Structures are given as C-alpha cells and as structure tokens.
Amino acid sequence: MSTTSSNGLLLTSMSGRHDDMEAGSARTDHSDHEELEHDPEDPFDLDNTKNASAASLRRWRQAALVLNASRRFRYTLDLNKEEHYENRRRMIRAHAQVIRAALLFKLAGEQQIGAFGSSSATPAASTGNFDIDLEKLVSMTRNQNMSNLQQLGGVKGVAEKLKSNMEQGIEEDEKEVTDRKNAFGSNTYPKKKGKSFYMFLWEAWQDLTLIILIIAAVTSLALGIKTEGLKEGWLDGGSIAFAVLLVIIVTAVSDYRQSLQFQNLNDEKRNIQLEVMRGGRTVKISIYDVVVGDVIPLRIGDQVPADGVLISGHSLAIDESSMTGESKIVNKDQKSPFLMSGCKVADGVGSMLVTGVGINTEWGLLMASISEDTGEETPLQVRLNGLATFIGIVGLTVALVVLVALLVRYFTGTTQDSNGATQFIKGTTSISDIVDDCVKIFTIAVTIVVVAVPEGLPLAVTLTLAYSMRKMMADKALVRRLSACETMGSATTICSDKTGTLTLNQMTVVETYAGGSKMDVADNPSGLHPKLVALISEGVAQNTTGNIFHPKDGGEVEISGSPTEKAILSWAYKLGMKFDTIRSESAIIHAFPFNSEKKRGGVAVLRGDSEVFIHWKGAAEIVLACCTQYMDSNGTLQPIDTQKEFFRLAIDAMAKNSLRCVAIACRTQELNKVPKEQEDLDKWDLPEDELTLLAIVGIKDPCRPGVREAVRICTSAGVKVRMVTGDNLQTAKAIALECGILSSDTEAVEPTIIEGKVFRELSEKEREQVAKRITVMGRSSPNDKLLLVQALRKNGDVVAVTGDGTNDAPALHEADIGLSMGISGTEVAKESSDIIILDDNFASVVKVVRWGRSVYANIQKFIQFQLTVNVAALVINVVAAMSAGDVPLKAVQLLWVNLIMDTLGALALATEPPTDHLMHRTPVGRREPLITNIMWRNLLVQSFYQVAVLLVLNFAGLSVLGLKQDSNHAHAVEVKNTMIFNAFVMCQIFNEFNARKPDEMNVFSGVSKNPLFVAIVGVTFVLQIIIVTFLGQFAHTVPLSWQLWLASIVIGLVSWPLAVVGKLIPVPKTPMSRYFKKPFRKYKASRNA
C-alpha cells in the first residue's frame, strides 16, 4: 500500500504556467526540473487516463485505502468491459435467432412488445399491408442471403414489397411511419434497467466502518437495555444506529441523483441525428425514428443506423469491426449489398434501403444485452484517491492512538465519568459495565475513522462532474468522456478548425469568374454562353452529395447538403440549373467522393450511350493546376497558359477577402477508355489532367459574432488559439486577422503562418521546434493536424483539438481533449472525441475551458474545507483522549459532522458555478499540487483557530462559561461539551463561506447565484438547532441558553475576519509539497545508487 503519494499531499508541480490560481500559486522554475518528472513508483501518478493501460488503472485501485469499494469505484472504468462486450458479440453472431426469440418472448411477457419489438413473436405470412414477411426480411439480412434477395426481385423488388420508392423514400406522413413501426418494430431496444434506489442504499451500507458502528450500536443497545432497562438503555446504541442509518440514506440519495444525471447524459449520446429521404425531400430525424422502408443516404463517417441493402454507391467501404470483430474494411456493391447496423462508413457515398430495425438487428440485440458503462476514472479522481489514502492512513493511526490511550486510561483507573466518579475499579466494576464502557471507547475510535477517512473526497469529483456536465449541456457541450471535462481546465492550446467553428458555416457565393472574366453579378447567367451554363449545371448537379427538392404545392425550393454544397447548388440554381432534369438525362457511372487529402472530388457521367464527361470540383488553386484550357464567354475552348496568372491573382484576391475559392472543371473521356466491368470500374482512377476550367467561385462564410472576444478571453487565460484549416493560406490569414488569432499583418510570416505541406516535410525534431510558433496552418490535411498535435504534446502542451471529418479521428484521439462538431461532425469523429460541441461554435469551446477550470477549483475548495474539519476534529479528540481520558465530540456528533463535511459539503462546494476569475489566470498544470500553498495557509489558520478555541473550552470551559457555580457538576460538563460541539459546527458553517473563495477577500461574491449552497448552509444551521435543542438524549447534548448560542455564533463568525487577515500572509512560490518530497527523493536515490 502506498503511504505517500505525489498526487496527494506530497505532490510536485510540473507546470510553471499556473501563477494566479483560484486556490493558490504554484510557479516552478527549470532548476527543479528533476522533481517534476513522473514517479513510476507512485500508483496515483497518472497524468492522463484517456489512453491509460489496464495495468496502471488496476494498480491505483489496489493501492487505494478503501472502506467501501462498491461505492468508491462505482464511476471507474469496468476493466472487463471489452472482454464482456466481445463475448456478447460472438454469442449474438452465433445465436442471434434464439436470442431474439427469447427477447421477444420476454418483452411480450412484460407487455412492452409494441414499444420495442414486432407486433408478433411468431412468423406471419405477411406483415400488415406489406407484401413481405418480417421473419423472411430479418433472416435475409442477417444471413446476407443473396439468393433470397434475388427471389424477391433484388433491391427494387424488396422496395416495392415494402411500398417504398428507392429515390424518394417513404411518404412523409405520421400514419405511414406508425404503420411501419407496428409492422416491423421501432429502431429501439430494451435498455437494461439502471440500479434502483434500494441498490444505492445497499451499496452505501457496504462501508466497513459503518458496519462496525452498527455492530457496536447493537452491542451497546443490548447492554444498555440489560443494565438500565428499555426506557433509558436504548439511547446510546439507538442514537448511533439512527445516525448511521441517516448517513446511509443521505449518501444513497446523493449517489442516486448522480446516477440519474449520468443516465440522461447517456440517452443524449445515443440519440444520433441523421438524414433520410421522405417524400423526395431530405429530412433530419432521430436514429430512433428510422423505420423499415426508409431510404438513407450514406456518406463517409456516418454510422449505419439499421440493417439494410445497398441501393447504389460509389467507392462505398464499410468498417464492420464493431460487429464482426475483424478490423478490415469491406467494400459494398451490388454483389455484396448487405449493410449491418452499428457499422461505420469508412469511404465513399451511397444510399441504402432499411430492412431491419431495433432488436431485429444484431446491433440491437447486442445493445439490449449490455449495460451502458458510465464509468471512467479521471486524473483528478485518481489523485484524490491518493490523497484520501494518505489522509486515511493518518486517520487510522490517530484512531488507534485514541483507542489505546482511552483503554490504558480506563483500565488504570484514571478515567472519570461526568460526576467525577472513577469508571473502572478493579474487582468492583461489573463485567457488563466494562464491556459497555469498552464498546463506547471502541465506538469513538471507529467514528474517528469514519470522519478521518475521506471516502467522499474522490466521489466529490463525480459529483462536480455530474453537475458540470448537466450545466454544460445548456452551454451547448455534450461530454462523452468525464476526464475531458476536467483536463480542459489544463488546456494550454486549442487547435481549431475554421469553417463552422470560427465562422458561421452560412455560405453564399459572392464572386464568380466564368468565361475568362469576372462576372458583374455572381449568379447572373446573361453574359455566359448556354453551352458553358449547361456544363456548369451538369457538373454541379451530378458532382454533389446535396439535393434540391421542389415542394408539390409550389413553395420555395429546399436545398440540402453540406454548407459548401448548398452554396454552390443555390448559385447554380440561380444560373438556371434544372437539377432533376439533369440527373434524369445523365447517369453517374463512377465517383471519386471529395477527399480532404486531395481537396477535390469528381464524377464520371454518361450522357445517353456514347458521351462520357468527367466533372471535378475542389480547391481552386489545385483544380486550376490540372487545367490546360478554359471555356470563354462564347462557349469556345481557349488555351489557359495566357490566362493562368489572371486566374491565380483572382484566387489570391478572393482569398485575401476571406472567401473560400472553389473551381469547377471538366473533360471528355472516350467511351472505349472507360472500364466495362463493374469490378474494373470500381478500381478506375478518374482522369484529372487536361481539364477545362468552367468557373471559379468565391464563397463567403462570415466570422461568428463573439468569436473575437472568445479568442481574446483564451489568450488572456494563457490558452493559445491555433487555426488549422484546409483552406487557402490567404483565406486562413484573412479569417485569423478577423478573429483576432493573428494580431497584425506583420505577424503573418512563416512559420507563424504555414502550409500543411511545408510542415509535414520537416523532420520530427524540426516539427517540434516549429510547432511552438505556428498560429495558422493552411491547406492542411487531417494527417498534418495529427502531426501538429503530436509535436505540441511532445513540447509539454495540453492540447485540445476540434474536428468534424472522419479523417480527423486520429487527431481527436491523440489530443488530450478531442472536440467534435455536433452539427457538421460525422459519427466517426464524434465517437473519437471526448466532448461534442453541439452548436459548432468556438465560444462554446471557451465555455468548456471555464467549466474545466471550475471542476478543479471546486474540488480544491472542498479539499480545503474537508481538511480543516479533519485536522480540527482529530487534534481535539486526540489531545482530550490523551490528557483527560474522554473525548468532547461523541460518536453521534462526529457522524453529524461527517455528514456536513462529506455529503452536504460536497454538494454545496462542488456545485459552485464558474466565475470570470477562473479565466484571469493561466492553465492548471497537470502535476500541480492539489493542496497549494494558499490552501495550506487558509486551512492551517482556520484549524489552529478552531483547535485553540475548542481546547480552551474543553479544559477551561467550566470557568470561561461560568459553569463552576452550577451545583450539578454532571449537567455543567454536558453544557460545556454541548458548547464545544455547537461551536465546532458553527465554525464549519461559517468556514464553508471561506472555502468558496480561497484567494479572494470577498467570500460572498456570487453566493446568490448558487441557491443550493445557501439552502445547504441554511438546512445545516436549522438541523443543528434541532439537534442541540430537541435531541438531547439522542445526540448527547443539552439545550443551550441564548447567550451560549450567541457565543457559538460569534466563535464561528470570527472565522470570516480571520480569513481576511490570513490572506494578507504571503506564501512562498515553491509548493510546500516540494519540501516534503525532497527527503523521499534523496532516500530513493541513495537506495538506488
């Protein structure tokens, strides 16, 4: 077991960036670098849990001192999850039919069949109004039976039997959707029920110390009733038992509320939004609303939402590893058309017809059979376990010392009761009295352990994370991994995309070069030859993943697709493009979907039976480089040599005005050079040389309002914002200046602003040097982004990176925090990310940084509060036990203090909302001490004060409180002890305010914004009045006069001015943990020498 932890009290700082902490300063310099390194012998020294090995995760669990493992490790990663998932997947693949039948039977028994499965558990000849049997449909897809598919007339035949149109989908009608759900089931599966409240009660009961206390209470109860009778004898044991039950109930309620928050978060994560074709238009729906017969367009990065068959596709490749366990990519075409739910589109485009949903798919069966794992330890959680272990060992030692001291004093006859009589007289005291007294002594020692071992400390992380994640949803951020929320507080750099994150993603074509010159009006075709307009229209209509829908009632046309596609489709539509006509008169025979590496996409189009045109669209300067001619305004082909410089200057001019430049080009292809066989056609590389330039368009995507301010906040908070974009370097520079990422033109020199190609060609060492200086990277590929992230991390940066494409997945995975885009992001990108930015807005990324810092600051507030209580309670009981043979704070009172300290304290302080003050300091270093010098100062000042007051009351209380004249000595002692208990609790109530602002003078600022804090303080105060005034026999208290209540409040109130005075005491910059650690390091070094 580890008794010293560099993640607990004995912790070094790795970062010199954190110079104005909410909870203190901890600057380091390079001379101490040897002390900042990772300590391999410390199981709690875990920088990042994102990609941590199972061995290191298992190691810290085994090293932690734990009283209640089921509760402490509830929100940690299930290390056997992968193995369990793999076993279930294999079983379902082998026995899908049997498992499905069993599940249907179970659902029917629970009368949930209409909600989750089919309307019948037995095969039927036909299903509703449809001409196909559900079981035949499920069997065909599951077994990937081509002969069954052909018997049904291929995909077209299945679509007809399902009354669906392969191009337009099903009708956009609620009754139609309901009928299909009733006939074929809905795309949901029965979720495993979460733990009931009674399970949380049971887990809270598993605490070893509480079990011991219950046993002690029962023993005390039995002995008390035997010696004093039922009326008086039940009080000691009954009060402890009741107090323990209260702790268990409050703990269970708090834990249960947390679990509900995580459950809601998981529901949000699973609710994927996707596009389907209904009634000829593209509509966005929830994955749960997909029905059999739906036609779904598939693009790179999408998740296949249900089982189905391929209608059409180009270069479509599917990653089936989530279902088959094999990591190979499977190409899908008419020979292999079956698609499995839960798989990902690795490449290409296509469309599918849904044939199976919910538990009629293997994915649905798998999801129904495994429980959602909300567990995942965070770096702070691991470090807090180290701190809790250290404090726990100190507490156990203290409890043992108190136990021995009390027993020695008792059996040597020096312990007296409240009347001054000796408690133990050899040969006189009865056995039952001895046992009763020993049980009371043992109970006190065990209660000290309950207070001393901060079981709630690591759980405070999950409490504050659960609260933060719920609030972050309102700030448009969905946390997928707990650790990311926390790590974001340490982020030193954010590598952001441009499009949609820094800009609005609302694109319009504002400039056009066509026919060899600039058009006066970007979308006015009057100056262009009809032949040129026809070629542009065909190129735009066919080389797109977007769509144009004409409503039947003659309303405004609806254009769908990515923002760039929508802008170009809208522009071409205004030029006179007849979208549906063009697509019906020519057919795509092969496609090269847009690729972020090549920055362009193309299609081969067959006109009639003889003509093949190849259309390309992409980054203007790249497409221009492939062109040998252009079409002038008269429809004549002209050599481009003389005009190439003109077009280059045009592209530069548009880029400098922050326009995205896209070129449209084409060429003819002889029919005999086009592969005839489908297999050869799939492998055919579209010719991309000798192109004819048709047009260059400049697309405006304005900066988001507020993005400049968000960048300024980041910069002042010590977080460097870098822009990484696939756009032209000039466009990137213009947007960076507009957003405030670059402050002036003079900054825009290499390597501050660099092309991806230049960066990737550097050596690894050079990349590390250059990465520090990069602010803008243009024309970057996803691999360039990955290289930048790796280089920055090697330099010691904590890197957050945004991404939306499938190819961004490696960079999102590699970064300390991967941020995917909720609107424009693919499912693959979202799954690789840690946080989803729901509105794609950079300002939301900055809010995540605030919340990340808030998590860390709140935990530090709670640590300061809890340690102050710990130190004061332990010192007063140890000193009293050693000197007087009795303790002023009884078992029930200590359990009440434990409740204030653990559960209520965590609720009050862990739910503090973030403040602007958090963004006025530099990032939290990953090895920064949890207990900073400022926190040490604050807790020592308060602890010394509380200990001093309590010891004075304990040893001179009768004189100070004027109780010596009391004729009833026993009553006077009870008043004194009640006063000690009351003053101690008042100190905690008032000190809770001090803990809110460890380094600010005004501890009340923003208190009204946290009603939960005010409510908890109020409830604690009211309960204290009730305990002291009305629960005397139960809590070992007596009612106090108003003068003593006033004195108690004044004692507590003094902690406020004392905190102000304490904050005037300067603290050294070098963390105190450094001084603790040095002897251990020297000792280790001497042993290893």
Side-chain angles (χ1 to χ4, degrees):
M1 185 180 288
S2 172
T3 57
T4 57
S5 168
S6 65
N7 292 284
L9 293 168
L10 309 182
L11 184 74
T12 58
S13 169
M14 182 177 127
S15 167
R17 294 183 292 265
H18 184 86
D19 132 88
D20 178 29
M21 285 181 61
E22 173 131 334
S25 165
R27 269 203 180 277
T28 59
D29 50 46
H30 295 289
S31 62
D32 293 317
H33 185 271
E34 71 278 0
E35 302 213 27
L36 310 180
E37 293 169 3
H38 168 68
D39 183 356
E41 291 182 31
D42 184 358
F44 302 106
D45 192 359
L46 206 60
D47 257 1
N48 196 341
T49 56
K50 183 174 176 179
N51 300 314
S53 67
S56 61
L57 297 180
R58 195 171 278 112
R59 188 167 161 244
W60 80 258
R61 284 168 170 74
Q62 291 165 349
L65 173 67
V66 181
L67 298 175
N68 186 344
S70 60
R71 183 168 182 247
R72 177 82 73 90
F73 298 134
R74 180 185 298 133
Y75 296 112
T76 55
L77 186 69
D78 179 1
L79 298 177
N80 300 317
K81 179 188 170 190
E82 286 301 318
E83 189 181 342
H84 174 65
Y85 179 91
E86 183 64 19
N87 290 339
R88 293 299 305 174
R89 188 188 59 71
R90 282 181 188 153
M91 187 189 291
I92 285 166
R93 294 237 78 199
H95 309 290
Q97 202 161 345
V98 177
I99 293 168
R100 178 173 167 268
L103 195 55
L104 284 169
F105 183 77
K106 180 188 170 193
L107 291 174
E110 293 173 357
Q111 296 184 330
Q112 292 177 351
I113 200 73
F116 293 118
S118 72
S119 56
S120 171
T122 55
S126 66
T127 310
N129 299 319
F130 304 99
D131 305 327
I132 190 165
D133 178 88
L134 168 64
E135 295 302 322
K136 189 182 286 186
L137 200 58
V138 171
S139 173
M140 177 191 73
T141 313
R142 184 171 57 240
N143 300 324
Q144 305 202 354
N145 195 318
M146 280 300 293
S147 62
N148 278 10
L149 181 63
Q150 284 157 4
Q151 283 170 19
L152 291 168
V155 183
K156 189 177 180 184
V158 173
E160 286 171 358
K161 287 177 171 57
L162 289 172
K163 295 182 168 47
S164 178
N165 185 301
M166 291 201 301
E167 289 179 1
Q168 300 198 342
I170 63 172
E171 286 302 312
E172 194 179 357
D173 174 49
E174 211 169 296
K175 185 180 180 303
E176 173 85 6
V177 173
T178 305
D179 287 347
R180 289 174 185 274
K181 281 185 180 180
N182 291 336
F184 301 106
S186 64
N187 201 26
T188 56
Y189 49 86
K191 287 182 284 187
K192 280 207 164 184
K193 288 179 182 174
K195 286 181 186 174
S196 68
F197 175 67
Y198 300 106
M199 280 302 296
F200 284 95
L201 274 175
W202 175 250
E203 285 187 1
W205 166 265
Q206 301 303 301
D207 192 302
L208 180 63
T209 49
L210 295 183
I211 292 169
I212 294 170
L213 281 176
I214 286 287
I215 294 168
V218 170
T219 309
S220 179
L221 195 65
L223 288 167
I225 292 170
K226 184 187 172 189
T227 54
E228 298 175 41
L230 183 62
K231 192 175 180 183
E232 297 289 328
W234 73 273
L235 285 169
D236 278 353
S239 59
I240 293 170
F242 182 78
V244 169
L245 288 174
L246 183 66
V247 169
I248 288 169
I249 289 166
V250 172
T251 301
V253 169
S254 174
D255 290 351
Y256 181 61
R257 286 186 69 245
Q258 272 185 64
S259 78
L260 291 179
Q261 289 179 350
F262 284 124
Q263 208 170 304
N264 294 337
L265 185 73
N266 284 324
D267 290 341
E268 283 291 339
K269 285 194 280 190
R270 283 191 291 257
N271 189 12
I272 296 167
Q273 299 294 309
L274 60 121
E275 290 181 346
V276 299
M277 294 297 294
R278 287 189 178 168
R281 74 198 289 189
T282 307
V283 293
K284 206 156 201 173
I285 63 168
S286 163
I287 191 170
Y288 300 135
D289 295 328
V290 170
V291 292
V292 169
D294 263 327
V295 172
I296 299 178
L298 297 172
R299 301 184 187 93
I300 185 169
D302 286 351
Q303 177 175 313
V304 179
D307 281 2
V309 285
L310 184 68
I311 296 172
S312 64
H314 300 288
S315 309
L316 189 65
I318 304 290
D319 178 1
E320 294 185 346
S321 58
S322 59
M323 287 310 301
T324 64
E326 297 169 14
S327 56
K328 66 177 183 180
I329 304 297
V330 181
N331 292 307
K332 294 293 175 181
D333 51 31
Q334 297 310 320
K335 290 179 184 175
S336 174
F338 294 102
L339 298 157
M340 284 193 292
S341 177
C343 300
K344 305 289 187 299
V345 180
D347 201 5
V349 291
S351 61
M352 68 176 279
L353 175 71
V354 174
T355 58
V357 292
I359 60 164
N360 297 321
T361 70
E362 287 183 15
W363 178 255
L365 292 176
L366 180 63
M367 289 295 102
S369 67
I370 60 171
S371 56
E372 184 70 25
D373 181 24
T374 53
E376 180 224 352
E377 50 261 72
T378 71
L380 193 51
Q381 197 177 349
V382 176
R383 291 170 68 186
L384 283 170
N385 269 285
L387 179 58
T389 298
F390 182 86
I391 297 169
I393 289 166
V394 172
L396 278 171
T397 308
V398 169
L400 193 62
V401 168
V402 169
L403 179 64
V404 171
L406 289 177
L407 287 173
V408 167
R409 286 188 65 92
Y410 178 79
F411 285 109
T412 54
T414 52
T415 304
Q416 297 176 333
D417 61 19
S418 55
N419 294 314
T422 303
Q423 282 188 311
F424 175 79
I425 301 170
K426 192 174 180 182
T428 306
T429 310
S430 68
I431 296 294
S432 62
D433 282 345
I434 293 170
V435 172
D436 194 24
D437 290 337
C438 286
V439 166
K440 285 176 183 174
I441 290 169
F442 185 69
T443 302
I444 288 166
V446 173
T447 311
I448 288 172
V449 176
V450 174
V451 176
V453 178
E455 198 72 4
L457 190 55
L459 293 170
V461 179
T462 51
L463 180 67
T464 189
L465 286 172
Y467 165 78
S468 300
M469 289 188 300
R470 187 163 51 86
K471 293 290 186 182
M472 283 166 76
M473 280 292 289
D475 280 343
K476 304 297 181 188
L478 171 62
V479 179
R480 294 190 74 254
R481 289 191 181 93
L482 281 176
S483 58
C485 178
E486 179 189 299
T487 310
M488 202 66 186
S490 301
T492 57
T493 185
I494 300 171
C495 298
S496 174
D497 283 340
K498 176 187 78 70
T499 307
T501 308
L502 297 168
T503 62
L504 281 169
N505 221 3
Q506 295 172 1
M507 302 195 185
T508 45
V509 175
V510 293
E511 277 190 43
T512 305
Y513 285 80
S517 62
K518 183 178 178 179
M519 292 171 61
D520 293 331
V521 180
D523 50 17
N524 183 358
S526 58
L528 301 177
H529 194 276
K531 185 180 175 184
L532 177 57
V533 174
L535 280 170
I536 290 172
S537 298
E538 184 180 73
V540 171
Q542 292 288 22
N543 190 15
T544 185
T545 53
N547 187 43
I548 295 181
F549 174 72
H550 295 269
K552 290 174 184 173
D553 58 7
E556 198 173 324
V557 296
E558 295 174 19
I559 299 173
S560 61
S562 71
T564 308
E565 295 282 14
K566 279 160 72 174
I568 293 172
L569 283 169
S570 176
W571 166 75
Y573 180 74
K574 289 172 184 172
L575 286 181
M577 175 183 69
K578 301 284 187 286
F579 186 80
D580 293 329
T581 308
I582 291 169
R583 291 186 79 129
S584 62
E585 288 176 352
S586 57
I588 298 171
I589 56 173
H590 187 54
F592 176 84
F594 180 85
N595 183 299
S596 53
E597 293 283 347
K598 288 201 164 188
K599 307 288 183 200
R600 57 190 180 278
V603 290
V605 175
L606 179 65
R607 288 186 187 170
D609 296 323
S610 55
E611 267 189 309
V612 174
F613 268 80
I614 292 165
H615 292 277
W616 284 95
K617 179 178 74 187
E621 69 272 25
I622 293 172
V623 173
L624 179 64
C626 301
C627 294
T628 55
Q629 49 191 6
Y630 72 97
M631 186 171 281
D632 65 16
S633 54
N634 300 315
T636 310
L637 296 179
Q638 301 287 352
I640 205 165
D641 297 340
T642 54
Q643 287 288 89
K644 214 158 199 171
E645 191 57 31
F646 166 75
F647 287 125
R648 276 203 197 96
L649 291 171
I651 292 166
D652 272 352
M654 286 192 283
K656 281 174 183 171
N657 289 326
S658 52
L659 303 185
R660 169 176 278 190
C661 304
V662 176
I664 299 163
C666 71
R667 60 164 286 169
T668 56
Q669 181 74 4
E670 294 167 25
L671 192 59
N672 59 7
K673 290 186 179 177
V674 177
K676 298 289 186 289
E677 297 297 322
Q678 186 62 44
E679 203 172 312
D680 296 330
L681 195 60
D682 288 342
K683 295 174 185 173
W684 182 41
D685 289 330
L686 287 181
E688 51 189 40
D689 56 342
E690 297 182 5
L691 302 184
T692 299
L693 182 68
L694 302 176
I696 299 172
V697 294
I699 303 170
K700 181 70 177 172
D701 183 14
C703 263
R704 283 185 180 274
V707 77
R708 192 178 182 89
E709 175 62 12
V711 170
R712 186 198 63 75
I713 290 169
C714 274
T715 307
S716 66
V719 182
K720 183 171 177 64
V721 180
R722 293 174 162 90
M723 183 202 288
V724 184
T725 176
D727 271 354
N728 180 309
L729 205 57
Q730 293 297 331
T731 308
K733 174 186 162 185
I735 292 286
L737 286 165
E738 204 176 328
C739 293
I741 293 171
L742 287 174
S743 54
S744 64
D745 259 331
T746 52
E747 251 193 290
V749 292
E750 201 172 295
T752 305
I753 175 167
I754 195 171
E755 271 204 356
K757 185 184 175 186
V758 176
F759 182 69
R760 89 179 72 114
E761 286 171 355
L762 298 172
S763 69
E764 190 177 334
K765 206 76 188 158
E766 287 171 327
R767 280 200 297 269
E768 285 175 34
Q769 291 301 314
V770 168
K772 298 174 190 172
R773 299 170 60 191
I774 292 174
T775 303
V776 176
M777 186 185 285
R779 280 287 174 249
S780 71
S781 68
N783 192 52
D784 298 332
K785 189 187 279 188
L786 175 61
L787 291 172
L788 178 62
V789 169
Q790 288 171 337
L792 289 168
R793 290 192 73 212
K794 280 178 184 171
N795 286 331
D797 274 299
V798 179
V799 184
V801 65
T802 70
D804 51 16
T806 303
N807 293 334
D808 287 329
L812 290 168
H813 183 75
E814 177 72 21
D816 294 286
I817 313 103
L819 304 157
S820 64
M821 300 296 116
I823 299 170
S824 61
T826 64
E827 281 310 309
V828 170
K830 288 174 188 175
E831 278 206 5
S832 298
S833 68
D834 305 303
I835 298 172
I836 301 172
I837 304 300
L838 298 173
D839 62 353
D840 292 16
N841 191 344
F842 185 78
S844 299
V845 177
V846 180
K847 287 175 185 173
V848 174
V849 176
R850 271 167 61 101
W851 278 109
R853 293 184 176 194
S854 176
V855 167
Y856 196 88
N858 286 352
I859 293 301
Q860 287 187 312
K861 293 169 189 177
F862 180 54
I863 291 170
Q864 181 181 308
F865 173 67
Q866 191 168 52
L867 285 186
T868 306
V869 184
N870 270 4
V871 170
L874 292 179
V875 170
I876 181 70
N877 271 3
V878 169
V879 173
M882 300 289 281
S883 58
D886 194 13
V887 288
L889 297 172
K890 306 300 180 189
V892 173
Q893 295 169 358
L894 282 173
L895 285 169
W896 168 233
V897 169
N898 184 63
L899 203 60
I900 296 173
M901 184 178 73
D902 255 17
T903 309
L904 298 178
L907 268 172
L909 293 168
T911 55
E912 279 282 305
T915 62
D916 290 338
H917 180 69
L918 292 167
M919 298 302 282
H920 295 157
R921 58 172 177 79
T922 47
V924 179
R926 284 197 287 196
R927 273 198 170 79
E928 206 112 321
L930 276 173
I931 306 174
T932 64
N933 287 2
I934 283 178
M935 289 168 67
W936 275 118
R937 178 194 64 196
N938 295 345
L939 76 88
L940 288 173
V941 165
Q942 294 295 334
S943 297
F944 283 145
Y945 167 67
Q946 289 180 21
V947 168
V949 168
L950 296 183
L951 287 177
V952 166
L953 286 174
N954 189 57
F955 293 109
L958 295 177
S959 303
V960 171
L961 300 173
L963 298 171
K964 278 205 168 181
Q965 294 79 19
D966 195 328
S967 56
N968 186 341
H969 181 72
H971 178 261
V973 171
E974 284 178 342
V975 170
K976 179 200 75 172
N977 285 345
T978 303
M979 182 64 187
I980 291 171
F981 168 55
N982 204 37
F984 184 59
V985 171
M986 288 301 125
C987 282
Q988 308 326 316
I989 290 173
F990 286 98
N991 191 40
E992 212 157 347
F993 285 88
N994 292 332
R996 289 184 66 246
K997 303 287 177 185
D999 62 340
E1000 290 182 56
M1001 291 295 184
N1002 183 5
V1003 295
F1004 306 106
S1005 66
V1007 74
S1008 59
K1009 292 178 183 175
N1010 190 356
L1012 185 61
F1013 178 89
V1014 177
I1016 285 170
V1017 168
V1019 167
T1020 306
F1021 188 75
V1022 170
L1023 286 175
Q1024 180 64 13
I1025 293 172
I1026 293 168
I1027 288 168
V1028 169
T1029 310
F1030 303 108
L1031 302 178
Q1033 288 182 310
F1034 171 81
H1036 298 283
T1037 59
V1038 291
L1040 296 175
S1041 65
W1042 70 266
Q1043 291 96 336
L1044 291 182
W1045 267 105
L1046 186 62
S1048 300
I1049 291 168
V1050 169
I1051 288 169
L1053 199 62
V1054 169
S1055 68
W1056 284 351
L1058 189 68
V1060 173
V1061 173
K1063 284 168 187 173
L1064 299 174
I1065 301 169
V1067 293
K1069 286 187 176 180
T1070 305
M1072 282 176 70
S1073 55
R1074 185 74 47 80
Y1075 303 114
F1076 284 119
K1077 193 99 181 187
K1078 269 184 180 175
F1080 288 99
R1081 289 213 177 246
K1082 284 176 181 174
Y1083 175 67
K1084 281 182 187 177
S1086 65
R1087 284 191 66 184
N1088 295 334

